[in-house]
Amino acid sequence: MIGGLFIYNHKGEVLISRVYRDDIGRNAVDAFRVNVIHARQQVRSPVTNIARTSFFHVKRSNIWLAAVTKQNVNAAMVFEFLYKMCDVMTAYFGKISEENIKNNFVLIYELLDEILDFGYPQNSETGALKTFITQTGIKSQSKEEQSQITSQVTGQIGWRREGIKYRRNELFLDVLESVNLLMSPQGQVLSAHVSGRVVMKSYLSGMPECKFGMNDKIVIDKQGKGGATEEAAGKRSGHQSIAIDDCTFHQCVRLSKFDAERSISFIPPDGECELMRYRTTKDIILPFRVIPLVREVGRTKLEVKVVIKSNFKPSLLAQKIEVRIPTPLNTSGVQVICMKGKAKYKASENAIVWKIKRMAGMKESQISAEIELLPTNDKKKWARPPISMNFEVPFAPSGLKVRYLKVFEPKLNYSDHDVIKWVRYIGRSGIYETRC
Amino acid sequence: MPAVSKGDGMRGLAVFISDIRNCKSKEAEIKRINKELANIRSKFKGDKALDGYSKKKYVCKLLFIFLLGHDIDFGHMEAVNLLSSNKYTEKQIGYLFISVLVNSNSDLISLINNAIKNDLSSRNPTFMNLALHCIANVGSREMAEAFAAEVPRILVAGDTMDSVKQSAALCLLRLNRTSPDLVLMGEWTARVVHLLNDQHLGVVTAATSLITTLAQKSPEDFKTSVSLAVARLSRIVSSASTDLQDYTYYFVAAPWLSVKLLRLLQCYPPPEDGAIRGRLTECLETILNKAQEPPKSKKVQHSNAKNAVLFEAISLIIHHDSEPTLLVRACNQLGQFLQHRETNLRYLALESMCTLASSEFSHEAVKTHIETVINALKSERDVSVRQRAVDLLYAMCDRSNAKQIVAEMLSYLETADYSIREEIVLKVAILAEKYAVDYTWYVDTILNLIRFAGDYVSDEVWYRVIQIVINRDEVQGYAAKTVFEALQAPACHENLVKVGGYILGEFGNLIAGDSRSSPLIQFDLLHSKFHLCSVPTRALLLSAYIKFINLFPEVKGTIQEVLRSDSQLRNADVELQQRAVEYLRLSSIASTDILATVLEEMPPFPERESSILAKLKRKKGPGNLHPDLDENRKERSANGGTADHSSTTSNAKSSPLSFVGDLLAPASTAPPTNRPRPVSSSYLLQAPLTPIPLQASAVPVLLSAGPLFQVAASPTPSTDLLGLGSTITTQNSAPPASKGTSLLVDVFSENIAAFPVETPVAVGPVADENFSRFVCKNNGVLYENQLLQIGLKSEFRQNLGRMYVFFGNKTSTQFMNFAASVVCQDTLQAQLNVHAKPADPTVDGGAQLQQILNIECMSDFVDAPVLNIQFRYGGTLQNVAVKLPITLNKFFQPTEMTSQDFFQRWKQLGAPQQEVQKIFKAKHSMDTEVTKAKIMGFGAALLDGVDPNPSNFVGAGVIHTKTTQVGCLLRLEPNTQAQMYRLTLRTSRDTVSQRLCDLLSEQF
């Protein structure tokens, strides 16, 4: 269980310090600062063990969040909690920055009291928290309201309060994916996976019961067993099923039902929530192909040519494309020519950065650069780090499709048809690299 | 340094540094640096020439980036260019960059050396200083090679400026430290000594440091410095504090110089010349007097400087150890410091007093401070000071105050720091033994020691107690009684149980008369501790039980019952089980006579140096202990201990058939190996370490025990006699170097420390089958068996050689404890120096280990060194010995000469003993090319067209040894019809001729 939680600024000064258990002494605060923040070598591991005490940290811009424990806790749980806490703070006061933390530090202590109890994570649903931790002064609440909050927080559905009403029942569903790739110079895929999230924003009245369906292979196959015709129909209409390697759900999803019938049913919290997270490794659509060509001309010159090809429907447009071509450490000058977009040598990052605003599918573009090198007395050869790429595409590279999202509200009289639903797919690049 | 003008401000650098300082995060800093590096790279690209200012600025930036911890791999050339600038600031930055960044193997080194040379020969003192500083800062071998001759010349040149002289002296000091072989003594040495007379005190200070270092290397050359140093010292000491102006530090005249001069004087014995000696004594007295004067300033720097000089003076007094009055005065002075409020002073006082205590003049004076020291031990807050107090108590201890000191140390032990407990225990044990007037006191002390700090009592201490009790008849009864009483405590330390078990087993009969300690009570008491003890102690107790059976036949039944119980007879531990079985059978089968013989009382141990002392020396390292003092005391104690010898002789009658081996076996920490082990070479290796009587006494017992085993059908697999024998012998002579067993060896051997060095290691047959193949070649496989392959690669140059030995592990298992050492037998030791660099102790399966041997030939030699290899392969110790093919001809240097020269030399070497001739039959086919190759491989130059007969071979060369060079001429005349060769060798030394002839004739 988490013994304490500290927040530091970039200099290692403590902004927030909350100790939950006696086994964490005051010196733990300094231990982390000395051994991690001010460490001589940059500490890359998110978990550090110092004197039998474990420190789990995440960094948000210049702010360090560290959870401390002496026990053998589930590290994934701790990180999940830390991320959740970041979300909660962002929801309350926007960007996590030193300034914001200093301005809201009473609020943060209040939040910490609520979301962690004796080191055990409690309700961290922003919507629920906002009902009783407010930023707008002290609101005198009537007895009734108070008891309502108590029953809700301690009740079965802690993430949603009763009696929500909307004039328009609306539902937004975002499928956000990030593609990770490592490709050899010859175009062979060395490793690729997609990690995705389904984010739901709901404005629904009452306590609606939702059911979510997607083209998960297991579900489709199961239904296919029921009626072979349907499977054939699915194939005909181009609905490919995908194999999901693993997935996790928001606490509102009934896991027993998922285990039994593979159906995802839930009562959503009001507002935004991350409904599920998943990972796929098979049959990934790679939106871009990078073809590098590096030629060393003598000791003082290097010629680089990079071609990128977009590999999706011509009707779709990729955005925010950025290709990062690393340059040797002894680069003394660069000349770049590119057909599309803008390219620039960024000395501070030791890379040529090529940016393209928009690019349609099934197109290709190319950049060529001449890199002048300064002869060095170092015999070390340049390690040739991979070319990396960033982009955003309007489809899901894993092939995931939302098949349905049904809403039932038995008490209030609106039906599934009355709900306005929006679905959006966004595919982003994760670590998308091609060796050169 | 010239003032930095406004133009030299380097704004760009300042901006860059402030940018870096303002970076919020590490990433931002790295980005800024990358940007700057790219900028500098583009500037250094070489398109346009840079002016000196910007070059300096960029080099400065690079230097700053390097100091921030980033790698810099360019800009060296620009820095070297800066060296040739005429501006001081530019040159300085260039030198700075070079001293920080240029590594010795850089290709630029010749350029740099050139620039330095130019600066050295310029007459500009600041440039010369910069160059000298650079040499000293880099201090690499290349620098030393290039400038070792130049720097001394500058140092002693008459027209050199003072500041340059100062730098040159320090530079030379540095070169002397890094590569002493290159700084050659020459005519300059005499003139360096005279620098002590220099007007400029800075030069004198620098020169004193240099001379001190050089004097340590060759004291003879700098003997004259003593009188000069004394003169200089007396001038400083007697000067008023204002005389020396710049060199007066808080009212103390030139403290650094004084300290250095006193250090220099410590390199030499007291001066023989009476006048100088008197003057020095006067100086030292003045320094001691000054210490008594009231301080001229309250500042801590004043007293620090004064005390620094004083302590150095005291150590000089101690070093000379010749003036009783001075020694006593120093001692009194230190006595004052003992109560000083400065912890550092108290520490230093205690430390110096330790050395003073060893001097015969001041020993008594030191003793007067005993109360203060004991007080320090009790009240001092700093553990390191307490440690010094313990050292001092140990050093000042003699017969008169031993009881007090030991009692104090014992009482301190209860509260002592854990880190120094073991050392105190050792010291108490030594003092108690050394100054014991009556041994009852000694026994009491050691038992107390075990009681207070049982965990810190090492095995050596309780072994020693037993040795002493056994050797001294008069204490045996008392010891048995005390031990018995001590054991009655409900909780006692295991070490006490060990001592108790041993002593009661030997001398329990002496107290058995008392009804309170009847045999049965004794046994019950011991057995009540049995279950709480570790296996080795239990084993010892079992031996004590069997001794009881001999001593008290009335408890035989009880003990047999215990031995017969399942917990003994079927104990999971092989050692305990074996003992139980053997003892049970022994007690039930053997008659009382046999029992009495087998379980005879232990014979006295031979007198020798206390193993505890050896351990203390090992712990503290040499130097901290004062061997001369110990010698001194030992004599005194020897006088007191004459009674011991009589007891030794009275016990001499004891039978050789005692149970020595087994009773001491628990001391062996080696796990008892059950596997019957062939009497391997490892056994032979260890044999010399254990003296023969042990073997002799152990074997008969086993012989008598052997048949018993056949009847008993013991559960141990090793029922056969040979297997059993080897099991036990290997246990007793267990691993060679393990710390735990060293004492066991110590118990029997005369002087353990001497053994590994002096005893020629007996090894199995030395393998030399491939030896002759290496006479004419340098590389190849030297040795191979199913486990190990040894390959060689060697190169020789003049009298030096280097050999790479490759040990290949042919198995898939790891070799443990791998050790390879080179042994030069007898006379060879003086003729050949072979230095083996230590190698890894493990060799992985299938892997190769490389060891480098450095060889130096001192004079001509005949034998070859032996390479001993030892390693553990799957539990068994393997031993391999191989003759290393280092032969005389390896140090051959071929010489080309004309026919005329050759015959002239040939005639010169005409003396009968110089020529060796051999006629022998060819072993291989007589191929001309092969023969040529062999002679060339042998090392001599093959001379064509010298001999009138073209089928003859003629060679010439010089054998290089460190002492001499031996010219060699050889002539080989083949006779194809008779398949015979005639080989004639003429060299200037008969032994060389003979050896070379033997070596070469083997090859054809």
Side-chain angles (χ1 to χ4, degrees):
Chain A
M1 298 319 102
I2 297 169
L5 203 134
F6 308 126
I7 302 180
Y8 302 85
N9 67 2
H10 73 280
K11 287 185 208 146
E13 289 162 353
V14 188
L15 303 177
I16 299 284
S17 156
R18 179 77 172 86
V19 176
Y20 291 95
R21 287 178 172 242
D22 293 338
D23 55 359
I24 302 299
R26 288 272 148 217
N27 51 357
V29 191
D30 301 319
F32 181 77
R33 183 193 19 250
V34 171
N35 289 293
V36 180
I37 301 180
H38 290 166
R40 209 160 278 189
Q41 239 88 48
Q42 199 190 348
V43 176
R44 304 185 69 175
S45 158
V47 183
T48 319
N49 263 304
I50 307 159
R52 314 191 59 140
T53 312
S54 312
F55 293 81
F56 306 78
H57 76 260
V58 295
K59 225 182 146 190
R60 279 292 132 92
S61 61
N62 275 333
I63 299 297
W64 300 73
L65 277 93
V68 197
T69 183
K70 279 218 159 162
Q71 274 142 329
N72 185 15
V73 297
N74 183 343
M77 184 275 280
V78 176
F79 283 112
E80 186 63 43
F81 171 76
L82 286 174
Y83 288 126
K84 205 81 205 178
M85 166 144 179
C86 291
D87 291 346
V88 170
M89 288 200 290
T90 325
Y92 267 92
F93 51 76
K95 195 172 166 267
I96 299 177
S97 65
E98 188 178 348
E99 177 100 354
N100 276 344
I101 287 175
K102 278 181 177 166
N103 290 339
N104 289 293
F105 94 104
V106 177
L107 171 73
I108 293 173
Y109 277 114
E110 226 176 315
L111 284 172
L112 283 176
D113 278 344
E114 199 55 48
I115 57 179
L116 264 186
D117 187 8
F118 196 46
Y120 293 95
Q122 307 292 313
N123 193 350
S124 55
E125 201 53 54
T126 321
L129 285 169
K130 276 194 170 162
T131 60
F132 50 91
I133 299 178
T134 54
Q135 285 165 287
T136 52
I138 302 159
K139 200 167 61 179
S140 64
Q141 282 161 322
S142 68
K143 261 235 164 82
E144 202 176 281
E145 278 175 313
Q146 279 178 1
S147 69
Q148 202 194 339
I149 288 175
T150 316
S151 72
Q152 190 232 313
V153 170
T154 53
Q156 224 177 5
I157 304 165
W159 56 88
R160 188 181 180 94
R161 67 190 166 89
E162 276 186 67
I164 301 170
K165 278 217 168 66
Y166 287 103
R167 214 157 50 82
R168 254 153 66 106
N169 287 312
E170 258 183 318
L171 183 68
F172 301 88
L173 211 56
D174 283 353
V175 178
L176 307 170
E177 296 196 335
S178 69
V179 211
N180 298 285
L181 168 78
L182 182 63
M183 195 178 249
S184 76
Q186 289 76 34
Q188 191 186 357
V189 175
L190 301 173
S191 86
H193 73 269
V194 169
S195 57
R197 311 187 291 146
V198 177
V199 176
M200 182 171 148
K201 209 183 252 178
S202 62
Y203 304 103
L204 300 172
S205 312
M207 296 294 262
E209 174 88 34
C210 301
K211 214 172 162 195
F212 173 66
M214 55 182 177
N215 57 341
D216 180 8
K217 199 171 201 166
I218 298 173
V219 180
I220 303 260
D221 287 358
K222 213 185 219 173
Q223 288 168 346
K225 252 174 237 160
T229 47
E230 200 179 330
E231 190 190 12
K235 272 203 174 150
R236 227 179 299 126
S237 63
H239 279 298
Q240 288 279 312
S241 61
I242 61 159
I244 287 177
D245 286 20
D246 50 57
C247 54
T248 53
F249 293 102
H250 187 266
Q251 57 168 337
C252 65
V253 174
R254 294 197 185 90
L255 292 177
S256 53
K257 227 166 180 181
F258 178 74
D259 286 340
E261 315 163 16
R262 299 287 287 192
S263 77
I264 304 165
S265 69
F266 54 96
I267 296 173
D270 196 34
E272 192 176 306
C273 80
E274 187 187 285
L275 185 63
M276 76 176 284
R277 245 183 257 174
Y278 58 91
R279 207 168 62 90
T280 68
T281 48
K282 283 200 194 80
D283 301 324
I284 295 165
I285 309 157
L286 297 172
F288 284 97
R289 168 89 206 277
V290 178
I291 304 157
L293 244 158
V294 179
R295 203 159 67 90
E296 282 176 51
V297 189
R299 277 192 67 198
T300 57
K301 208 168 170 191
L302 202 66
E303 281 180 4
V304 181
K305 199 169 121 186
V306 176
V307 179
I308 58 167
K309 282 184 180 166
S310 57
N311 183 30
F312 45 89
K313 269 190 266 174
S315 57
L316 297 174
L317 272 181
Q319 286 183 307
K320 297 178 192 167
I321 302 154
E322 186 186 286
V323 182
R324 183 176 288 267
I325 305 160
T327 53
L329 292 176
N330 54 345
T331 305
S332 61
V334 176
Q335 273 92 48
V336 214
I337 306 162
C338 58
M339 289 160 29
K340 215 176 164 194
K342 281 180 191 162
K344 207 175 159 191
Y345 166 58
K346 286 205 169 161
S348 60
E349 288 151 45
N350 281 323
I352 299 169
V353 180
W354 176 27
K355 283 183 179 165
I356 304 172
K357 279 213 181 99
R358 232 170 260 110
M359 189 170 177
M362 304 315 269
K363 290 258 166 62
E364 68 172 69
S365 186
Q366 136 176 345
I367 183 176
S368 53
E370 271 184 23
I371 301 172
E372 283 173 71
L373 303 175
L374 192 74
T376 62
N377 44 4
D378 219 3
K379 303 292 181 292
K380 263 186 285 173
K381 222 175 166 275
W382 181 43
R384 289 202 182 187
I387 295 173
S388 61
M389 194 172 173
N390 289 321
F391 53 81
E392 211 178 282
V393 287
F395 62 92
S398 67
L400 182 124
K401 291 261 162 42
V402 177
R403 289 173 61 217
Y404 56 83
L405 200 146
K406 293 173 191 156
V407 180
F408 309 100
E409 170 50 299
K411 282 183 195 158
L412 298 170
N413 49 353
Y414 69 91
S415 71
D416 188 35
H417 303 289
D418 302 332
V419 181
I420 307 157
K421 299 170 191 166
W422 306 86
V423 181
R424 177 167 68 161
Y425 298 93
I426 300 174
R428 292 202 181 94
S429 56
I431 296 166
Y432 200 87
E433 292 179 333
T434 307
R435 290 192 180 150
C436 61
Chain B
M1 187 191 293
V4 178
S5 68
K6 210 172 177 198
D8 291 334
M10 292 194 280
R11 225 176 80 81
L13 178 68
V15 168
F16 173 59
I17 293 175
S18 73
D19 275 2
I20 295 268
R21 297 245 160 99
N22 289 334
C23 280
K24 282 253 157 88
S25 64
K26 224 165 200 148
E27 294 78 39
E29 184 183 311
I30 290 168
K31 277 189 173 170
R32 180 71 185 86
I33 286 169
N34 279 337
K35 196 176 150 202
E36 194 60 45
L37 281 176
N39 175 35
I40 299 172
R41 279 196 300 262
S42 67
K43 290 283 194 296
F44 281 176
K45 204 158 52 179
D47 296 353
K48 45 195 180 292
L50 288 171
D51 59 344
Y53 167 76
S54 32
K55 223 182 259 175
K56 176 182 73 172
K57 186 175 76 187
Y58 294 129
V59 167
C60 252
K61 281 182 181 174
L62 284 181
L63 198 53
F64 185 74
I65 292 170
F66 177 77
L67 295 179
L68 283 176
H70 299 264
D71 282 335
I72 297 295
D73 49 8
F74 65 99
H76 299 74
M77 198 58 217
E78 282 72 18
V80 173
N81 286 344
L82 280 180
L83 292 187
S84 48
S85 159
N86 272 329
K87 277 205 185 128
Y88 172 79
T89 49
E90 285 165 23
K91 204 184 263 287
Q92 183 207 21
I93 295 295
Y95 273 123
L96 189 59
F97 186 90
I98 279 157
S99 3
V100 174
L101 261 155
V102 172
N103 44 2
S104 53
N105 52 9
S106 164
D107 343 324
L108 295 170
I109 212 83
S110 60
L111 280 173
I112 296 169
N113 281 354
N114 206 22
I116 292 176
K117 219 164 249 164
N118 285 340
D119 278 341
L120 283 183
S121 53
S122 81
R123 304 312 304 170
N124 185 334
T126 45
F127 290 179
M128 285 174 90
N129 269 341
L130 278 179
L132 286 168
H133 293 170
C134 180
I135 299 171
N137 281 333
V138 175
S140 66
R141 229 185 138 70
E142 288 73 17
M143 286 270 179
E145 268 164 12
F147 300 107
E150 182 80 357
V151 179
R153 200 184 50 71
I154 295 173
L155 178 61
V156 296
D159 53 349
T160 315
M161 298 266 293
D162 284 339
S163 62
V164 177
K165 266 191 203 165
Q166 210 172 329
S167 300
L170 292 176
C171 178
L172 195 57
L173 176 63
R174 160 79 186 191
L175 293 185
N176 186 47
R177 280 187 190 147
T178 50
S179 30
D181 50 321
L182 291 175
V183 180
L184 301 168
M185 298 295 168
E187 46 93 36
W188 58 273
T189 45
R191 297 174 65 183
V192 165
V193 173
H194 286 282
L195 285 179
L196 286 178
N197 270 337
D198 201 283
Q199 290 294 317
H200 192 265
L201 275 192
V203 176
V204 184
T205 315
T208 314
S209 294
L210 174 65
I211 292 170
T212 310
T213 316
L214 293 175
Q216 276 157 1
K217 202 164 92 180
S218 50
E220 276 310 304
D221 292 345
F222 293 90
K223 237 182 166 159
T224 45
S225 65
V226 172
S227 60
L228 292 175
V230 171
R232 178 53 91 167
L233 185 66
S234 85
R235 252 181 290 158
I236 295 170
V237 168
S238 58
S239 71
S241 57
T242 48
D243 283 1
L244 299 164
Q245 288 168 359
D246 286 354
Y247 289 86
T248 303
Y249 178 80
Y250 288 91
F251 306 104
V252 183
W256 281 277
L257 180 53
S258 316
V259 165
K260 282 182 175 172
L261 287 170
L262 288 164
R263 285 249 169 92
L264 170 61
L265 290 173
Q266 278 173 55
C267 301
Y268 292 97
E272 274 139 30
D273 184 346
I276 300 174
R277 196 177 173 147
R279 207 163 168 197
L280 179 60
T281 313
E282 210 172 282
C283 283
L284 294 172
E285 267 169 359
T286 321
I287 293 173
L288 286 174
N289 286 339
K290 273 192 179 163
Q292 294 295 340
E293 287 169 14
K296 289 191 181 109
S297 157
K298 280 204 175 110
K299 288 261 173 61
V300 68
Q301 289 95 331
H302 171 70
S303 57
N304 276 351
K306 210 165 83 170
N307 290 334
V309 178
L310 178 65
F311 272 108
E312 212 50 63
I314 289 175
S315 46
L316 179 64
I317 292 169
I318 296 169
H319 171 78
H320 284 172
D321 196 13
S322 58
E323 300 279 344
T325 50
L326 280 179
L327 280 165
V328 170
R329 279 194 65 183
C331 184
N332 293 339
Q333 185 62 50
L334 290 178
Q336 286 177 15
F337 284 147
L338 280 184
Q339 281 150 317
H340 203 276
R341 119 190 113 66
E342 265 300 293
T343 314
N344 289 338
L345 270 185
R346 291 199 300 272
Y347 180 94
L348 287 169
L350 286 169
E351 197 181 29
S352 310
M353 244 195 208
C354 246
T355 39
L356 267 180
S358 59
S359 162
E360 49 175 326
F361 300 115
S362 54
H363 185 70
E364 285 306 314
V366 171
K367 266 166 67 181
T368 57
H369 299 290
I370 183 162
E371 290 303 328
T372 328
V373 179
I374 286 170
N375 203 27
L377 192 63
K378 284 175 183 158
S379 58
E380 196 61 62
R381 271 155 70 202
D382 190 323
V383 65
S384 60
V385 182
R386 288 202 296 270
Q387 162 98 54
R388 289 292 143 251
V390 171
D391 286 349
L392 179 54
L393 277 183
Y394 177 75
M396 67 163 65
C397 188
D398 64 13
R399 201 163 285 272
S400 64
N401 55 14
K403 274 201 174 162
Q404 186 193 2
I405 287 178
V406 167
E408 287 298 341
M409 279 170 123
L410 263 183
S411 69
Y412 171 60
L413 192 58
E414 284 176 84
T415 55
D417 247 68
Y418 294 106
S419 52
I420 57 174
R421 274 199 184 177
E422 192 184 354
E423 205 186 312
I424 298 182
V425 166
L426 286 175
K427 283 183 166 156
V428 169
I430 292 167
L431 292 177
E433 183 195 336
K434 202 188 277 174
Y435 303 118
V437 185
D438 65 309
Y439 280 91
T440 55
W441 174 72
Y442 172 72
V443 171
D444 282 344
T445 309
I446 300 293
L447 287 183
N448 273 335
L449 205 58
I450 296 176
R451 208 176 297 149
F452 290 149
D455 288 339
Y456 299 92
V457 173
S458 56
D459 286 345
E460 281 86 344
V461 173
W462 74 263
Y463 290 160
R464 190 68 188 160
V465 162
I466 287 173
Q467 282 177 27
I468 284 173
V469 170
I470 287 183
N471 285 8
R472 304 227 174 0
D473 286 345
E474 68 273 16
V475 284
Q476 286 164 357
Y478 179 78
K481 189 158 151 282
T482 346
V483 165
F484 179 75
E485 279 162 8
L487 277 176
Q488 273 166 334
C492 46
H493 194 269
E494 192 165 332
N495 277 338
L496 188 67
V497 179
K498 286 182 192 163
V499 177
Y502 200 109
I503 289 185
L504 290 182
E506 293 290 328
F507 310 113
N509 56 338
L510 298 178
I511 55 167
D514 194 328
S515 62
R516 282 166 301 169
S517 54
S518 70
L520 199 59
I521 296 177
Q522 281 185 36
F523 172 73
D524 284 343
L525 184 62
L526 277 184
H527 199 59
S528 68
K529 315 283 182 203
F530 186 88
H531 304 282
L532 305 170
C533 296
S534 63
V535 169
T537 314
R538 287 188 190 192
L540 188 145
L541 284 180
L542 284 181
S543 298
Y545 295 168
I546 188 74
K547 289 241 169 183
F548 270 176
I549 291 184
N550 176 39
L551 291 178
F552 319 115
E554 64 266 35
V555 293
K556 183 172 177 180
T558 325
I559 293 174
Q560 278 183 335
E561 203 54 49
V562 169
L563 291 176
R564 201 176 286 127
S565 69
D566 274 359
S567 60
Q568 310 301 346
L569 219 49
R570 299 200 178 153
N571 196 303
D573 189 88
V574 186
E575 175 70 26
L576 290 182
Q577 193 185 66
Q578 187 172 357
R579 280 186 193 230
V581 171
E582 281 180 27
Y583 292 161
L584 186 60
R585 298 305 298 171
L586 185 67
S587 66
S588 51
I589 286 180
S591 69
T592 24
D593 287 351
I594 294 176
L595 266 185
T597 331
V598 171
L599 303 172
E600 175 69 51
E601 191 178 300
M602 292 289 292
F605 294 92
E607 287 292 328
R608 80 184 65 82
E609 188 199 8
S610 159
S611 55
I612 312 176
L613 208 60
K615 174 155 180 169
L616 187 64
K617 276 183 191 159
R618 233 184 2 251
K619 227 174 122 61
K620 302 211 67 174
N624 260 337
L625 232 107
H626 316 297
D628 48 348
L629 167 71
D630 284 323
E631 289 308 311
N632 235 336
R633 305 284 176 73
K634 217 170 283 155
E635 275 171 29
R636 271 185 257 168
S637 66
N639 296 339
T642 36
D644 309 343
H645 297 291
S646 55
S647 68
T648 322
T649 43
S650 70
N651 264 341
K653 59 178 171 23
S654 56
S655 115
L657 247 184
S658 68
F659 218 54
V660 198
D662 206 27
L663 195 57
L664 273 162
S668 149
T669 51
T673 39
N674 200 11
R675 193 181 313 125
R677 190 182 290 169
V679 183
S680 63
S681 51
S682 69
Y683 164 63
L684 285 174
L685 181 76
Q686 287 146 13
L689 294 173
T690 37
I692 305 307
L694 167 66
Q695 245 77 31
S697 62
V699 172
V701 175
L702 291 163
L703 279 174
S704 62
L708 304 179
F709 269 93
Q710 318 253 298
V711 190
S714 130
T716 27
S718 57
T719 34
D720 75 304
L721 193 57
L722 181 69
L724 186 66
S726 64
T727 318
I728 287 197
T729 37
T730 37
Q731 262 167 35
N732 288 343
S733 53
S738 113
K739 205 177 158 195
T741 46
S742 67
L743 188 100
L744 177 71
V745 174
D746 188 27
V747 167
F748 297 101
S749 64
E750 276 306 308
N751 185 348
I752 172 161
F755 258 96
V757 195
E758 287 170 12
T759 333
V761 189
V763 272
V766 174
D768 62 349
E769 59 269 283
N770 286 344
F771 183 78
S772 62
R773 282 176 31 197
F774 280 85
V775 170
C776 291
K777 63 178 194 173
N778 284 333
N779 308 330
V781 175
L782 177 64
Y783 175 84
E784 186 158 29
N785 66 8
Q786 66 273 27
L787 302 176
L788 181 76
Q789 186 187 44
I790 305 176
L792 284 186
K793 247 178 135 169
S794 43
E795 52 195 66
F796 294 87
R797 212 177 72 187
Q798 302 196 328
N799 69 323
L800 299 175
R802 177 168 290 176
M803 192 172 263
Y804 301 87
V805 188
F806 298 91
F807 302 100
N809 183 345
K810 287 170 69 179
T811 67
S812 52
T813 4
Q814 202 183 38
F815 290 166
M816 307 292 289
N817 300 358
F818 189 91
S821 60
V822 180
V823 178
C824 294
Q825 258 105 359
D826 318 321
T827 49
L828 191 60
Q829 236 163 16
Q831 295 161 342
L832 194 67
N833 258 344
V834 183
H835 173 75
K837 294 206 173 147
D840 266 7
T842 50
V843 187
D844 286 339
Q848 220 181 36
L849 177 81
Q850 183 190 353
Q851 194 178 27
I852 301 175
L853 307 179
N854 285 324
I855 304 149
E856 190 184 11
C857 175
M858 309 302 284
S859 65
D860 61 302
F861 60 93
V862 176
D863 283 336
V866 176
L867 180 67
N868 281 322
I869 299 138
Q870 226 180 50
F871 58 89
R872 201 168 273 283
Y873 168 69
T876 39
L877 201 63
Q878 303 282 340
N879 243 47
V880 176
V882 188
K883 230 179 190 179
L884 271 182
I886 303 172
T887 46
L888 187 55
N889 65 300
K890 297 287 180 198
F891 305 97
F892 237 131
Q893 200 79 357
T895 355
E896 294 289 342
M897 51 178 81
T898 60
S899 167
Q900 194 185 356
D901 278 347
F902 182 85
F903 282 106
Q904 192 184 350
R905 300 260 172 97
W906 185 263
K907 272 175 203 133
Q908 277 168 4
L909 297 168
Q913 72 270 21
Q914 284 171 335
E915 184 194 273
V916 175
Q917 195 170 64
K918 197 166 181 180
I919 300 167
F920 54 92
K921 199 154 180 74
K923 281 184 250 165
H924 310 286
S925 66
M926 298 174 75
D927 189 295
T928 320
E929 285 312 311
V930 173
T931 313
K932 268 186 184 168
K934 276 184 177 167
I935 290 178
M936 256 137 73
F938 192 66
L942 195 66
L943 305 178
D944 269 333
V946 171
D947 204 289
N949 183 350
S951 60
N952 287 355
F953 301 95
V954 167
V958 179
I959 297 265
H960 286 264
T961 70
K962 197 180 180 195
T963 46
T964 52
Q965 296 189 349
V966 183
C968 306
L969 303 175
L970 70 88
R971 192 172 184 199
L972 183 72
E973 296 155 89
N975 182 342
T976 33
Q977 271 103 41
Q979 292 284 308
M980 297 283 269
Y981 281 111
R982 182 164 77 184
L983 176 67
T984 317
L985 262 150
R986 285 188 181 186
T987 75
S988 47
R989 277 184 88 129
D990 46 348
T991 45
V992 175
S993 309
Q994 189 58 51
R995 179 61 183 156
L996 288 181
C997 182
D998 290 346
L999 281 172
L1000 190 57
S1001 59
E1002 289 295 306
Q1003 297 300 317
F1004 298 102

